[in-house]
Amino acid sequence: MSRINTNVQSLIAQRTLNANNGALNTSLERLSTGLRINRGKDDPAGLIASENLRSELSAANAAVSNAERADQVVNIAEGGLQEISSLLTELQGLLTASASEAGLSREEKEANQLQVDSILQTIDRIASSTNFQGQKLLNGNFDYQTNSISSSVETFSVNGAKFNGSSQAVDIAVTQSAQTAGLYLSFGGSEVNLAGATGSAFTIEIAGVDGNRELSFASGTDLADVVSTINSFTEVTGVEATTSGTGITLTSSDYGSDAFVSVEVVTQGNIQGSGVYGFQAGDANTIDSGSQTTYANAANVVRDAGQDLGATINGIQATTRGREASINTDFLDVSITVAESASQSLANISAFNITGGGADFQLASDVDIAGKVSLGIPDVASRKLGYYLDESGATRFLDDLGNGSALNVVDGDGVAAQEVISAAIEEVSSLRGRLGAFQQNTIGSTIRNLQIGIENTAAAESQIRDADFAEETASLTRNQILVSAATQSLTLANQQPQNVLQLLG
């Protein structure tokens, strides 16, 4: 067949050449960009998956940056706390040096007081000036805001809290009362009665968590005097005494299973009285009449321990010590000291409400409550450090060591001052430990986990979107040959109609 109006072979060659040129262009584009998917038509499903992975990758990288920023913030806060800790240690030394009465002039004490005042001012200055990009870190800016605090709560601290809404209620249910340790010494009268014996004494050794003392009482000593003598050593033994009927009740100064009271009768003489009694389990007020130990048998030591509070906080079993209960979960980290009266009864307590505050860090790629970590950093000014309730019931803080205040080192209460300083050191050390744990465990683990996730996400995205150069170079070579062959075929197809001219001769 010799037709010239329609060159079918040329049309076929043109179509093939165009297809080969398109394939060649695609190979060149992939090799020049390094991507297998450059536009939606290359792989619609692959493009969707790739864009989703790219989004996750970007969010994960931002989360790593947030975690690193959080680490820097905590580093600066820790630096300020470290200096405050050193100042508190120095303060402890000044207090001890000033406690000596003999060999220390008033002028020297006043000079020490000047140093104390300087330390307190420095602590306040550090608390108000430690900042990150102008944001104060240790002045309470990142402490939690609370209201509706129950009178059944003596003290509390909120270390971390995450919640949706405007507030988070904190409720504590007392399931077991907190108790002091206690023993009852029965003398059968209002005085120590050795049944007329002369030259003998009733000698006992009383011990508590702080130490022990051996005390001797002559026949005829009033129980009130016995109590007064025992209480004069309370700071040494941790044991307090009160008269109760015809006997004396000994109780530990502190609550909890760590507290104890023990009595050992060293010399009993002809002491009148039924002996030593314990208290009913979980009750430091009611004598257990079945626990009587005669004074003769009390030579083997009679001992009683206290009882820790039992409680749940927001439905979670709390860790307790004495009257203090605490929980530490991803959503709530609080510590509550229940007031003495409230710790004796099994009841539900609406402790307080958390209304805001804290330092929130976004440490996950998903922006939701689970991806955030909340950290509370309290005010460490001297007026907020070293909470202590003295014997008069007055609340003392570190600033009470200032000149003219109740706990100054010149003529103030040195015992209470040391309790305040010890409490302040413990508070700052606990805060530093909590910040350190946050850095090491929360931030460190988060960064490592995110980096692994970034590696795997990037690998998955690369598998979908990146070009395989070995495959694409082979395809390029093939398409180059096909384009050349199609071009040559088109040339031959275009020349074929000219053969008709030979028929016209």
Side-chain angles (χ1 to χ4, degrees):
M1 297 176 65
S2 300
R3 300 185 181 96
I4 63 172
N5 283 338
T6 302
N7 192 340
V8 177
Q9 287 76 10
S10 176
L11 294 175
I12 295 172
Q14 290 177 48
R15 176 180 59 78
T16 304
L17 179 59
N18 287 334
N20 290 338
N21 275 326
L24 178 62
N25 290 336
T26 298
S27 294
L28 289 171
E29 183 180 38
R30 289 176 175 175
L31 289 171
S32 61
T33 62
L35 298 175
R36 185 181 70 85
I37 303 174
N38 290 283
R39 51 183 58 83
K41 71 176 184 179
D42 292 338
D43 185 352
L47 178 67
I48 294 172
S50 175
E51 288 299 319
N52 287 336
L53 289 172
R54 282 190 171 186
S55 174
E56 292 177 8
L57 196 60
S58 177
N61 279 315
V64 170
S65 179
N66 287 344
E68 292 172 343
R69 179 67 62 90
D71 189 57
Q72 295 163 3
V73 171
V74 175
N75 271 338
I76 292 176
E78 159 68 14
L81 291 172
Q82 184 176 9
E83 186 58 33
I84 290 176
S85 183
S86 298
L87 290 171
L88 290 174
T89 302
E90 184 178 349
L91 196 60
Q92 183 76 279
L94 286 170
L95 175 65
T96 303
S98 302
S100 182
E101 294 293 337
L104 192 67
S105 67
R106 184 177 180 86
E107 288 74 16
E108 289 180 279
K109 289 189 175 184
E110 290 175 347
N112 287 342
Q113 182 63 52
L114 290 176
Q115 293 188 62
V116 170
D117 293 339
S118 177
I119 288 173
L120 297 179
Q121 294 165 13
T122 303
I123 289 175
D124 288 341
R125 185 166 57 253
I126 292 173
S128 63
S129 63
T130 304
N131 71 91
F132 182 85
Q133 292 187 345
Q135 199 169 31
K136 308 296 185 182
L137 303 179
L138 301 178
N139 69 341
N141 274 351
F142 290 130
D143 200 2
Y144 288 96
Q145 301 156 13
T146 58
N147 62 19
S148 303
I149 302 170
S150 171
S151 59
S152 297
V153 174
E154 183 175 297
T155 62
F156 69 91
S157 64
V158 184
N159 301 324
K162 296 191 296 184
F163 54 91
N164 287 320
S166 59
S167 65
Q168 167 71 58
V170 178
D171 301 318
I172 179 169
V174 178
T175 58
Q176 174 178 283
S177 62
Q179 298 294 339
T180 57
L183 293 174
Y184 179 76
L185 276 63
S186 172
F187 290 96
S190 61
E191 61 183 28
V192 176
N193 185 355
L194 295 175
T198 58
S200 63
F202 176 62
T203 305
I204 57 175
E205 181 180 283
I206 297 174
V209 291
D210 295 329
N212 58 72
R213 275 293 183 273
E214 185 176 291
L215 306 173
S216 294
F217 302 101
S219 183
T221 305
D222 288 339
L223 295 189
D225 292 334
V226 175
V227 167
S228 178
T229 301
I230 294 173
N231 286 340
S232 68
F233 294 99
T234 296
E235 293 177 3
V236 177
T237 61
V239 177
E240 299 174 349
T242 57
T243 55
S244 179
T246 58
I248 293 174
T249 298
L250 303 177
T251 57
S252 60
S253 301
D254 298 325
Y255 285 78
S257 57
D258 291 339
F260 74 92
V261 174
S262 72
V263 171
E264 178 183 358
V265 176
V266 179
T267 303
Q268 65 179 35
N270 295 321
I271 186 69
Q272 302 300 297
S274 53
V276 182
Y277 292 84
F279 287 85
Q280 290 184 1
D283 188 348
N285 301 311
T286 305
I287 297 173
D288 181 4
S289 58
S291 67
Q292 187 254 349
T293 301
T294 64
Y295 285 122
N297 291 327
N300 295 319
V301 181
V302 181
R303 188 180 189 276
D304 184 67
Q307 178 175 281
D308 291 322
L309 183 77
T312 62
I313 299 178
N314 284 17
I316 298 172
Q317 185 64 43
T319 300
T320 60
R321 181 180 181 186
R323 292 184 288 117
E324 182 179 340
S326 62
I327 62 170
N328 185 359
T329 69
D330 184 37
F331 282 76
L332 186 62
D333 181 0
V334 297
S335 177
I336 301 172
T337 300
V338 179
E340 287 193 44
S341 58
S343 70
Q344 305 304 301
S345 58
L346 308 184
N348 295 324
I349 302 170
S350 297
F352 54 88
N353 291 329
I354 305 171
T355 59
D360 291 337
F361 299 103
Q362 179 64 41
L363 300 185
S365 56
D366 294 331
V367 181
D368 55 23
I369 191 171
K372 287 184 178 180
V373 174
S374 188
L375 178 70
I377 304 177
D379 189 352
V380 294
S382 61
R383 65 184 182 280
K384 297 293 182 68
L385 283 178
Y387 170 84
Y388 174 68
L389 198 65
D390 67 14
E391 293 182 354
S392 67
T395 301
R396 302 299 184 189
F397 290 95
L398 197 63
D399 63 342
D400 285 316
L401 273 74
N403 187 28
S405 298
L407 308 184
N408 72 85
V409 301
V410 178
D411 54 12
D413 185 347
V415 175
Q418 188 165 52
E419 293 288 349
V420 167
I421 296 174
S422 298
I425 291 173
E426 183 177 354
E427 289 171 22
V428 173
S429 298
S430 297
L431 178 56
R432 290 181 65 191
R434 185 159 54 83
L435 294 180
F438 177 75
Q439 284 184 287
Q440 181 177 7
N441 300 324
T442 303
I443 295 178
S445 298
T446 295
I447 290 177
R448 290 190 295 271
N449 180 64
L450 286 172
Q451 287 175 338
I452 292 173
I454 288 171
E455 292 174 9
N456 293 331
T457 303
E461 196 268 342
S462 173
Q463 181 69 29
I464 295 171
R465 195 155 192 164
D466 289 352
D468 185 338
F469 268 62
E471 180 181 342
E472 293 302 331
T473 52
S475 179
L476 175 66
T477 301
R478 172 179 173 274
N479 290 329
Q480 285 176 323
I481 294 172
L482 289 175
V483 166
S484 296
T487 302
Q488 186 64 28
S489 298
L490 179 59
T491 300
L492 294 174
N494 288 336
Q495 290 175 354
Q496 187 175 4
Q498 295 180 4
N499 294 331
V500 176
L501 295 175
Q502 298 177 6
L503 298 176
L504 299 176

